[in-house]
Amino acid sequence: MKTTVYSAKNIVTMNAQKPDASHVAVRDGRILAVGSSDEVATWGPYELDEQFADKVLFPGLVEGHAHTMEGTLWRYVYCGYFDRMDPSGTTHRGNTSIDAVLEALKAAEAKMDDPDSPLTGWQLDPIYLDNKPVTRAQLDNVSATRPIGVLNASGHILYANSKALELASLLKKGVNHPGIPLGADGLPTGELKGPDAMAPVSVHVGMSGSIADVDERGLRDFARLCVRTGVTTVTDLAAKLDPDSVDMMLRVTGEPSFPACVVPLRFFLGLSPKELVPEVARLKKLSTDRLSLGRIKLVADGSIQGYSARLRWPGYHNGAPNGLWYVTPEQMLELYELALEAGLQIHTHTNGDQATQLAIEKLELALRKHPSNDHRFVLQHCQLADRAQFTHMAALGMSVNLFANHQFYWGDEHYTLTVGPDRALRMNAARTALDCGVPLAVHSDAPITPLGPFFTAWCAVNRLTRSGRVQGEHEKITVDEALWAITMGAAHSLHMDGLVGSIEVGKRADFAVLESDPRAANPEEIKDVEIWGTVQGGRVFAAADV
């Protein structure tokens, strides 16, 4: 078999036995040898490839919490507050007022030919816009005749106009649902919180099927973002994975030009625990080198900035009512027990500390019934956990994947509005997690915040809010710890640390090709490391060409 040896200015391995090297040999998409030119030559004849001679090879970055749906969302109207890069590398300007958002929607609506086709927007976050939800009346001013839906930046809230509510049979008085607020006229305001409330409307506003699902074009587009950000393994952390979707993912990821391994988790929605576990076990057997199946995603609560997360006493700092439960305690316990019995991993979304406490308590009960030495059940986001909870997690063998980006994008709002100064300091407590012995990853939750693991590492190291204030000095982690979290830490959270996350013999030949060594950057410069592209499974992808 052909052996290719890549030389580089430096090869950062994330392997303590040999942290640096100058050459790496690749055979059949896997790493054959790492070391000096003489060391890798002991494996016999090879072809020397020097295209990375002036680059740094780093382990392919692992994004442990993202949603490939972003690839699809870029075909809708971008309504976000911040400037943002799309899969082609084009940067879109942010909308810094509600008027700017409505104008962007009006401009898109004016270009539409079919009067009945829906208008869809995404990434709107009212917390930046006077903290007032968008109403159906405001969206009616864009169009009262075509259905309009705009997805909140959290992904947990949808805003709809009157026409969209009418098509979903929700434009009526007497609607009794905790996720559907009513106005003074007794009709829904247009704000829809949680999957139950969003689902009836989403199909009428251009989000056919599950909002979290990606289509074929979207999957390819999202993979282009992966190359631009150095990501070679990426999760799709809440997929419906119906037969058509799985067939599409198998086909697209199987194409020779597809540049990443996708790890989609089956969302706990639409099936009972007794139905879901055998279905996920069946899906696991369909896994390939670039589509890793067989994990479950459970959502316990909503988002903190959307006021739908479940918080312990004293609740929300601004007096907002407590958030929503997306699952009952009985369902959570049953699913945990069945998954442990079947040897399947569950990732549980818990934003509020009350939701985190429920997950800890139910897993402890489930483990008494089905002990497991290496279950690696992961709490995703887990933003408000305190030291006592992290200590409990460590005792149960749990892992966490903290939403480090939140400190930048919503840190100021958490300090002043959602949880107040005290709890804001401990949000996404990476230092405490590590000190308590809890395996740590950090993530972007793209499209909630932009995909970019080096930016996520920067957030965990510096803990700066968007106003430039350090929030939680005591929770900072080191550069080396942050780089581990976006490589081996994320790989561990997926039970893939024997396959990816470091440049070691036997692992997949996945590299991020960089212009400089991130370990040498000042802590405030980690986010600015330039990325040339990736190598995935021994295949080279230049960001300039995708």
Side-chain angles (χ1 to χ4, degrees):
M1 290 180 288
K2 176 184 175 183
T3 299
T4 301
V5 170
Y6 295 101
S7 65
K9 182 167 57 177
N10 189 29
I11 298 172
V12 181
T13 69
M14 300 301 285
N15 174 11
Q17 294 174 346
K18 185 178 289 187
D20 296 273
S22 60
H23 293 73
V24 56
V26 175
R27 179 186 292 174
D28 196 25
R30 299 171 68 184
I31 297 167
L32 178 67
V34 187
S36 66
S37 58
D38 290 341
E39 288 171 328
V40 300
T42 62
W43 285 91
Y46 62 86
E47 179 181 295
L48 180 64
D49 189 324
E50 297 185 294
Q51 65 176 310
F52 304 135
D54 63 342
K55 311 293 183 190
V56 172
L57 295 184
F58 195 80
L61 303 180
V62 181
E63 175 52 82
H65 189 140
H67 303 271
T68 59
M69 63 186 278
E70 178 169 351
T72 301
L73 291 178
W74 275 112
R75 302 206 297 274
Y76 304 146
V77 182
Y78 177 63
C79 299
Y81 182 85
F82 296 92
D83 295 353
R84 186 152 175 170
M85 182 184 70
D86 70 15
S88 72
T90 300
T91 297
H92 297 249
R93 295 296 300 271
N95 301 279
T96 56
S97 69
I98 187 59
D99 289 339
V101 171
L102 296 175
E103 285 302 316
L105 290 168
K106 287 177 181 177
E109 198 275 338
K111 297 176 182 178
M112 300 174 69
D113 296 326
D114 185 348
D116 298 318
S117 63
L119 175 62
T120 313
W122 67 290
Q123 204 60 17
L124 175 62
D125 196 342
I127 204 166
Y128 300 131
L129 312 174
D130 299 325
N131 198 34
K132 295 178 181 178
V134 178
T135 66
R136 61 181 171 85
Q138 288 173 305
L139 295 179
D140 286 347
N141 286 331
V142 177
S143 175
T145 57
R146 87 167 65 247
I148 300 175
V150 182
L151 190 63
N152 182 282
S154 70
H156 290 268
I157 301 171
L158 183 68
Y159 307 102
N161 72 340
S162 297
K163 185 63 176 180
L165 292 169
E166 176 189 328
L167 291 172
S169 300
L170 288 175
L171 193 62
K172 59 186 179 183
K173 295 184 178 182
V175 175
N176 184 16
H177 190 289
I180 305 179
L182 304 180
D185 58 2
L187 297 172
T189 62
E191 184 183 28
L192 306 166
K193 298 183 176 182
D196 289 346
M198 296 161 64
V201 175
S202 64
V203 295
H204 298 291
V205 295
M207 298 179 180
S208 58
S210 170
I211 288 178
D213 280 350
V214 69
D215 60 11
E216 183 171 330
R217 175 182 165 189
L219 184 57
R220 292 193 180 93
D221 282 346
F222 189 78
R224 297 166 69 196
L225 275 175
C226 290
V227 174
R228 294 183 183 283
T229 54
V231 173
T232 54
T233 301
V234 66
T235 52
D236 190 353
L237 216 74
K240 192 174 180 181
L241 294 181
D242 58 34
D244 288 343
S245 178
V246 173
D247 287 346
M248 180 275 290
M249 284 187 152
L250 285 168
R251 176 169 47 80
V252 173
T253 59
E255 295 170 352
S257 60
F258 193 82
C261 172
V262 180
V263 186
L265 277 66
R266 177 50 165 90
F267 194 21
F268 176 42
L269 184 69
L271 295 176
S272 69
K274 286 186 173 64
E275 295 168 322
L276 179 64
V277 168
E279 170 61 11
V280 173
R282 182 190 70 82
L283 289 172
K284 188 174 184 178
K285 297 175 182 177
L286 301 178
S287 295
T288 68
D289 286 344
R290 293 202 287 276
L291 189 69
S292 182
L293 299 159
R295 302 166 185 81
I296 296 170
K297 169 70 175 296
L298 172 66
V299 179
D301 66 342
S303 79
I304 297 173
Q305 73 275 19
Y307 303 101
S308 56
R310 293 292 305 191
L311 273 56
R312 294 187 296 188
W313 187 89
Y316 283 99
H317 185 248
N318 67 348
N322 210 348
L324 303 174
W325 287 113
Y326 288 4
V327 64
T328 67
E330 295 78 15
Q331 287 175 318
M332 180 181 285
L333 178 59
E334 182 183 10
L335 187 57
Y336 282 176
E337 289 179 345
L338 292 172
L340 286 169
E341 184 179 20
L344 297 177
Q345 186 190 33
I346 294 182
H347 291 235
T348 304
H349 161 123
T350 66
N351 260 316
D353 49 1
Q354 189 179 57
T356 291
Q357 189 63 31
L358 179 68
I360 291 171
E361 291 174 357
K362 296 309 174 186
L363 181 58
E364 183 171 33
L365 290 174
L367 283 168
R368 291 176 187 172
K369 189 172 182 179
H370 299 288
S372 173
N373 293 326
D374 194 26
H375 57 80
R376 299 195 204 179
F377 276 31
V378 181
L379 293 185
Q380 293 282 352
H381 304 327
C382 195
Q383 293 201 75
L384 279 176
D386 61 16
R387 180 172 290 272
Q389 289 179 320
F390 281 117
T391 300
H392 203 164
M393 290 177 221
L396 297 176
M398 302 177 81
S399 301
V400 292
N401 192 346
L402 299 181
F403 200 168
N405 288 19
H406 241 268
Q407 221 60 33
F408 175 78
Y409 284 102
W410 292 282
D412 292 322
E413 286 70 28
H414 291 318
Y415 191 92
T416 59
L417 289 172
T418 67
V419 300
D422 293 337
R423 287 174 294 173
L425 297 182
R426 78 163 191 245
M427 292 186 77
N428 299 292
R431 175 80 273 143
T432 298
L434 290 176
D435 288 351
C436 290
V438 180
L440 172 71
V442 292
H443 66 266
S444 70
D445 197 11
I448 311 308
T449 69
L451 182 68
F454 284 127
F455 177 82
T456 299
W458 175 87
C459 289
V461 168
N462 295 282
R463 291 186 66 90
L464 288 172
T465 68
R466 64 188 175 100
S467 67
R469 182 172 48 84
V470 174
Q471 187 154 292
E473 176 78 29
H474 61 294
E475 291 296 350
K476 288 181 177 180
I477 60 176
T478 68
V479 171
D480 285 346
E481 288 168 334
L483 295 176
W484 181 273
I486 60 174
T487 52
M488 286 298 292
H492 179 276
S493 76
L494 298 172
H495 260 298
M496 297 178 72
D497 47 321
L499 178 64
V500 297
S502 63
I503 301 177
E504 295 185 60
V505 174
K507 287 194 173 185
R508 194 161 59 206
D510 287 3
F511 317 133
V513 184
L514 312 178
E515 299 293 349
S516 61
D517 186 340
R519 299 174 305 175
N522 293 325
E524 61 272 15
E525 297 173 344
I526 306 170
K527 63 182 175 60
D528 301 318
V529 172
E530 291 184 44
I531 298 165
W532 178 90
T534 60
V535 177
Q536 202 281 328
R539 301 166 303 132
V540 177
F541 299 94
D545 297 335
V546 297

